[in-house]
Amino acid sequence: QVQLVESGGGLVQPGGSLRLSCAHSRLSLNYAIGWFRQAPGKEREVVSCISVGNDNTYYSDSVKGRFTISRDRAQSTVDLQMTSLKPEDSAVYYCAADYPGPLILERLCDVDDFGSWGQGTQVTVSS
């Protein structure tokens, strides 16, 4: 079972930036790691994901150009840099992992393709 722990959430003003980090247990190159979010009353949705083997990435249309996913092999973390934040970005953010990474990326990181999840971290964008 993959262990995942998110950190970095908090309160930020609209237009501000925040960096989330997902610390994970050791993964093979066949995995994908994704960031997802869930707002109250809404379904969990993909934000971004990355294939561990080749660093291919996917972004949802709602965050493309504002969020950047990156992987630090030495630290075993996957970070999500969020800029130009909007109130509609407010949600609990989760990281998740599963394999096979290339197929998961082809399927645009569907939430149902991920079986290991972290506990989540709250992001609130408000003035």
Side-chain angles (χ1 to χ4, degrees):
Q1 185 76 5
V2 178
Q3 304 298 317
L4 302 151
V5 180
E6 303 95 336
S7 62
L11 173 65
V12 63
Q13 292 187 343
S17 300
L18 206 59
R19 189 177 185 91
L20 306 181
S21 186
C22 172
H24 59 81
S25 55
R26 191 166 185 172
L27 299 175
S28 75
L29 295 178
N30 197 31
Y31 269 79
I33 296 180
W35 279 99
F36 298 80
R37 65 188 181 188
Q38 188 167 18
K42 294 189 176 181
E43 292 187 354
R44 193 169 297 188
E45 62 176 3
V46 63
V47 175
S48 179
C49 65
I50 187 167
S51 179
V52 174
N54 57 19
D55 285 338
N56 282 350
T57 58
Y58 167 79
Y59 296 92
S60 69
D61 288 343
S62 62
V63 307
K64 199 174 295 182
R66 299 189 298 124
F67 292 10
T68 303
I69 192 170
S70 61
R71 192 169 65 86
D72 187 325
R73 295 185 183 187
Q75 299 295 324
S76 292
T77 58
V78 173
D79 290 353
L80 185 70
Q81 178 67 47
M82 305 184 294
T83 64
S84 301
L85 283 162
K86 307 174 183 179
E88 52 263 43
D89 293 318
S90 297
V92 178
Y93 283 69
Y94 300 88
C95 69
D98 218 311
Y99 66 93
L103 180 60
I104 288 174
L105 269 285
E106 284 183 18
R107 288 166 51 85
L108 305 184
C109 307
D110 190 290
V111 64
D112 292 332
D113 286 342
F114 287 83
S116 297
W117 292 83
Q119 82 288 350
T121 185
Q122 177 71 48
V123 171
T124 303
V125 184
S126 175
S127 55

